[in-house]
Every structure is written in C-alpha cells, then in structure tokens.
Amino acid sequence: MNINVIEADGGVTHVVLDGRFDIAGAQEADPRFSALAQSSGSVVVDLAKVSFIASLGVRTLMVSAKTLIRRGADMAVCGANENVEKVLRSTGFDEIVPLYPDFVSAAAWLTSRQAEFASKKP
Amino acid sequence: MSAPEPLAHSRDFPGTIEAAAEAEAWLMSHSGAWGLPEDTEFALNLCLEELFINAVRHGRANRATISIWAEADRVRLEFVDDGGPFDPGEAPAKRISGPTDDFEIGGFGAGLVQKFSRRLSYRRSDGYNRVLLEFGAARDANAGSEAPHTT
C-alpha cells in the first residue's frame, strides 16, 4: 500500500492511501500513522484508492485517531468505497471519526473545528 | 488453450501473522481468477483475515487449513484451526465504546464475519474449530463450469 503525506492549506495534513489495507498494508501503515499522530495537526485520511480494509486496518486508524484527539487535533476520513464504509460503520469507527465523500468537505470540517476550538480558548 | 481455473482449492498454513498475509495473497490469486463480483471478493477476503487473526492471536492456533469452493451462485470458505474453542457466530459483535478520547479498540472480527457472510456454521470436533461460511455470488456465466471438483 502506498502512503503519500501532503501538507495541505490551513494546517491540514492530507494522507493519501493507495492499495489494500490488508495485513501487509496495516504493517506498512502502522509506523507511518503512529509517527504522524504524534506530530501532525488534524489529518484527513483519503481512502478513495483503498480497495480493501479489515479490522487490523481499522485498528491502525483508530489508534491514530485516539492519539490525535488526546493531543487536541482531529481526524476525518474521505472517499471510502461502499464496502470499506460498511466496515468502518460496522465497527463504530464513524462515531469517532466522521466520513466525508471527498477531501474538500473533510478539510472544511477540520478547519471549522479548529476555528471553534480557538474561539473557546480564554 | 489454457486449462480452466479449478473451482476448489485447499491449503495448510502455519499459525502466524505472516502466514495469514500469505493466505490472503493465496485466496486473492484464486478468487481473482474466478471472476467473482467485487462485493463477494471483498467479503471473502475480509472474513478470511478476521478468522485467521482471531485463530492466531486469541486461539493460539499452530496451524490452519483453508478450503474454498466456487459454485454456480455461491462461494464457500471453510476455515479449520487447532486453536482454543471459538465460535465466531456466537461471539458478541463489538463496536467502539467509551469516551471519545479513551475508547476501547479491538474485538471487531467476529461482528464483521457475521455481517459480511450470508451463512455461518460452526462446530468443534477432535480439537479443531471448523467454521464454514457461505457468500452469495451470481457469477459470470462464462467463467468456469457448473460442477465443482477438488484439486
């Protein structure tokens, strides 16, 4: 699985995955995601080119989301195909991380969350 | 003319995560040649990964035997392992629970197998777990013959 990390406008990190998020894919993704979750701001994980995911892959994303949330950042997912989305919803992943059809709408949600957070600071 | 792709396959794997990844590649090479609908192929792969990982991580299985059959309108997957007794049809379908920043992660496999297979049967015999799954698959009329045979 290819993992491409793009620093997008507005402090959002766009992580584009390409391939199968199977056991081999999760083993490749784990170290990359754990490094990202500890250092980056809010992240959009782009699954448009991911044809497969199972619970190991979901776990990789969940662990990173948890780390990001604890650091005051957020994660959103975009572009999941029907089957990938069914897996994400079956595990309840979408209750923690919102799913969007495309990068633009996911990034807009993250930007509005950041603004909301900043306005609440004393 | 090349020989038609056989409609049944079976193989033994050691009980390791590396072997589980190998089993996924093995399954894909056959299911790809069968010309299955995308949803069926996805479900088949997903269930294999969940069963294998459960058997290795929680059942401490030393080996697993995987068999697959393609028939006219369905595909079946049998997963046999020598790990501790585990019925994926009876295990609770877990979802994320707990607060947003401290939710519990794990145990999703059985729920996914229940959701993505059409039929699930389990029996424990002679120290082995035997899980038989069925998936719907309206196959391409040009792919393979109607009668399954073993290799």
Side-chain angles (χ1 to χ4, degrees), chain A residues 18-115:
Chain A
D18 185 351
R20 292 172 56 81
F21 214 149
D22 52 12
I23 298 170
Q27 283 170 340
E28 286 163 353
D30 264 342
R32 297 289 301 277
F33 269 94
S34 92
L36 257 175
Q38 281 158 28
S39 60
S40 85
S42 290
V43 173
V44 175
V45 181
D46 195 327
L47 299 180
K49 292 176 184 160
V50 169
S51 56
F52 178 82
I53 194 166
S55 62
L56 271 194
V58 177
R59 188 186 172 85
T60 299
L61 296 178
M62 280 182 183
V63 170
S64 298
K66 195 168 176 174
T67 307
L68 283 168
I69 292 166
R70 285 180 166 178
R71 290 180 47 240
D74 274 302
M75 180 190 279
V77 159
C78 73
N81 76 28
E82 207 179 309
N83 283 314
V84 169
E85 186 173 330
K86 189 172 162 187
V87 172
L88 296 176
R89 292 193 188 279
S90 301
T91 56
F93 178 78
D94 60 310
E95 288 168 23
I96 304 294
V97 174
L99 312 181
Y100 287 92
D102 51 46
F103 172 73
V104 173
S105 51
W109 177 76
L110 288 176
T111 309
S112 71
R113 287 272 292 186
Q114 283 164 5

Side-chain angles (χ1 to χ4, degrees), chain B residues 15-144:
Chain B
T16 64
I17 295 295
E18 292 70 31
E22 234 177 88
E24 286 195 311
W26 172 80
L27 177 69
M28 273 239 297
S29 71
H30 295 305
S31 64
W34 283 342
L36 298 174
E38 214 177 299
D39 288 355
T40 309
E41 199 168 348
F42 188 99
L44 198 55
N45 275 265
L46 176 87
C47 292
L48 173 70
E49 181 173 322
E50 304 304 345
L51 291 175
F52 211 133
I53 287 175
N54 262 335
V56 174
R57 290 216 168 141
H58 307 298
R60 299 180 181 278
N62 290 309
R63 57 187 285 267
T65 304
I66 301 165
S67 306
I68 47 172
W69 300 268
E71 294 167 22
D73 58 356
R74 64 176 182 177
V75 177
R76 286 185 294 163
L77 168 80
E78 188 190 43
F79 189 92
V80 178
D81 72 85
D82 62 356
F86 179 72
D87 180 353
E90 290 299 318
K94 282 196 191 167
R95 289 168 59 82
I96 275 185
S97 60
T100 312
D101 62 348
D102 194 24
F103 48 86
E104 278 184 41
I105 299 171
F108 307 125
L112 289 171
V113 170
Q114 291 163 18
K115 189 142 201 159
F116 279 82
S117 61
R118 185 167 77 178
R119 215 167 271 164
L120 187 164
S121 68
Y122 170 83
R123 69 193 166 93
R124 177 85 183 173
S125 64
D126 303 327
Y128 288 89
N129 293 305
R130 295 174 187 275
V131 180
L132 182 63
L133 301 178
E134 183 181 304
F135 305 87
R139 301 176 66 227
D140 184 338
N142 298 318

